[in-house]
Amino acid sequence: MTLPGAPFLAYRGQDLFMDDLSLNDLAREHGTPLYVYSRRAMLAALAPYQKALQGRPHLVCFAVKSNSNLAVLQTFARAGCGFDIVSGGELERVLAAGGDAGKVVFSGVGKSRREMKQGLEAGVRCFNVESTAELEVLSEVATQIGRTARVSLRVNPDVDAGTHPYISTGLKGNKFGVAHEVAVATYQRAAQLPGIEVVGIDCHIGSQITEIAPYLDALDRVLDLVEAIEATGVTLHHLDLGGGLGITYTDETPPAADVLIAQLLAKIDARGHGHREIVFEPGRSLVGNAGVLLTEVMFLKPGEQKNFCVVDAAMNDLMRPALYEAFMGIVNTRRREGATEVWDVVGPVCESGDWLGRDRQLSVQPGDVLAVLSAGAYGMTMASNYNTRGRAAEVMVDGSQAWVIREREVPADLFKHEHLLPN
Ligand SMILES: *Cc1c(COP(=O)(O)O)cnc(C)c1O
């Protein structure tokens, strides 16, 4: 069986390895729950993006919200990436990791004045603006501090990316972007506003997209708009096609990034837009299958209707199953010979929604370490402290080396900003 994450994640004999390290050994050494990432897997996921865009002006902006650990950001910064950020906090992370503000695109439907000022002062490459109201405020803030905000409007191409409703963003009924019909007028307004310089256009139609067709549809709609906008005398330099490429969690077969990009570039060239700089904002497809969450089996609770395998990781560590009913593979880091049984893998948090996997065929015993697969994206970044549980530690591996890139939180960390009332 090939695991999502192969070849960087594979069994050698009975033991599951990431790169050249046994995950069972890493769990024993660092404790559980533990996120483990492979730097090699991240760079291997980036390579097809860079290869497909070689020879033309381009920028791959890693979507920070998918995995914002400083060492992860540092890895992508060193590989030449820019960053797609959605908050001032993410901007601080990028700068702390050695990223270049000049390669940052600032996305998000609700940027505050403070965040706008922060982005302007740092010199971000572009604000991806999502409404006329935001445009007016950005113009005001930029003028006040004597700066110019480079902007691109996020247009909503109204295409169905065919994903879960919570992660589909390019349809009319959701909060993201400027509607197709008003985009031309909004660009004309942007071109007149003081402190604003129009530099591009962008769209982002959703997440975990496993087909090429929605991207091609969106691209056609965006290019129609580019032509309509430029006909009014506003020039656009770059074309930002967002992120959203899916990964294999179970049996999905998303296109390879280079195949997707080749088809997009073919359309861009055929329609005479080949001179434009191309920007992508991938998150999940760069890190999702480069990480696992390790968790120890605490108790087995066989029952009449269900067998529960209680592990020490919970919905606060990895929220995707509880939030989206997402399927994530679960395997034992040390294969057992015995017969398998069907288990619901659940955490210790006091919610029925606290499960990591349902009806999983596993051979397990208390003390075993399980790996939840494809956990490199939207895992740690969505973690919370619910039930006063400290967030997990994180380790980065590369070959036979391993580094702790985030220490485990202890309870004192969690209430250090709280205060008792006076008498
Ligand atoms: C979340 C997000 C991304 C990254 O999406 P993935 O599905 O992780 O590739 C890119 N751009 C914007 C604007 C986003 O909100």
Side-chain angles (χ1 to χ4, degrees), residues 62-73 90 93 381 394:
F62 172 61
V64 174
K65 74 175 187 292
S66 63
N67 188 326
S68 60
N69 184 287
L70 294 188
V72 172
L73 304 183
E90 288 189 349
R93 280 186 175 275
T381 50
E394 293 174 290

Side-chain angles (χ1 to χ4, degrees), residues 1-284:
M1 176 186 64
T2 342
L3 298 171
F8 304 95
L9 184 74
Y11 283 98
R12 297 187 187 174
Q14 298 305 100
D15 269 26
L16 185 61
F17 276 68
M18 184 170 272
D19 286 16
D20 298 323
L21 292 171
S22 147
L23 288 171
N24 203 276
D25 290 350
L26 284 174
R28 305 283 166 218
E29 186 178 342
H30 300 285
T32 49
L34 182 72
Y35 277 98
V36 186
Y37 312 117
S38 159
R39 180 161 66 178
R40 289 183 182 177
M42 292 183 187
L43 294 175
L46 174 64
Y49 278 94
Q50 289 180 326
K51 191 179 112 228
L53 290 162
Q54 212 170 16
R56 68 171 79 211
H58 73 272
L59 187 62
V60 178
C61 290
F62 172 61
V64 174
K65 74 175 187 292
S66 63
N67 188 326
S68 60
N69 184 287
L70 294 188
V72 172
L73 304 183
Q74 178 191 39
T75 297
F76 287 116
R78 284 179 177 167
C81 287
F83 296 94
D84 170 63
I85 61 166
V86 292
S87 72
E90 288 189 349
L91 177 57
E92 288 189 38
R93 280 186 175 275
V94 167
L95 299 178
D100 176 359
K103 291 184 179 176
V104 165
V105 298
F106 199 153
S107 300
V109 69
K111 303 172 195 78
S112 69
R113 283 173 188 263
R114 177 202 290 262
E115 288 174 320
M116 290 174 181
K117 184 158 173 268
Q118 195 184 342
L120 285 164
E121 282 171 349
V124 301
R125 170 196 180 86
C126 179
F127 288 86
N128 288 346
V129 170
E130 300 216 13
S131 64
T132 311
E134 181 190 339
L135 202 51
E136 312 259 345
V137 173
L138 184 58
S139 160
E140 229 176 270
V141 173
T143 313
Q144 265 166 17
I145 63 169
R147 302 257 178 163
T148 302
R150 289 173 291 272
V151 307
S152 141
L153 291 190
R154 176 170 176 180
V155 297
N156 185 337
D158 193 25
V159 298
D160 188 352
T163 65
H164 189 283
Y166 283 10
I167 52 178
S168 185
T169 57
L171 277 169
K172 264 190 183 161
N174 70 51
K175 69 179 177 184
F176 297 102
V178 176
H180 199 83
E181 302 74 49
V182 298
V184 177
T186 313
Y187 265 104
Q188 286 178 291
R189 177 78 185 128
Q192 289 162 357
L193 282 171
I196 298 286
E197 181 194 351
V198 172
V199 293
I201 189 164
D202 77 279
C203 74
H204 171 73
I205 56 174
S207 205
Q208 185 53 18
I209 300 166
T210 54
E211 288 163 85
I212 294 183
Y215 278 104
L216 291 172
D217 290 351
L219 176 60
D220 263 324
R221 311 257 311 173
V222 170
L223 292 178
D224 291 347
L225 272 179
V226 169
E227 288 159 13
I229 292 156
E230 291 206 327
T232 69
V234 179
T235 308
L236 301 174
H237 297 285
H238 77 251
L239 198 56
D240 178 345
L241 298 173
L245 180 59
I247 61 169
T248 302
Y249 286 99
T250 164
D251 53 5
E252 304 91 335
T253 51
D258 48 353
V259 173
L260 168 67
I261 292 173
Q263 293 203 22
L264 292 170
L265 293 180
K267 186 183 281 288
I268 288 168
D269 291 346
R271 289 193 51 175
H273 294 267
H275 58 289
R276 294 185 201 283
E277 181 179 23
I278 307 298
V279 179
F280 283 98
E281 305 169 350
R284 190 188 314 268

Side-chain angles (χ1 to χ4, degrees), residues 297-310:
V297 176
M298 296 193 296
F299 308 112
L300 296 180
K301 269 184 77 174
E304 249 174 53
Q305 293 194 357
K306 282 262 180 193
N307 295 325
F308 291 105
C309 170
V310 184

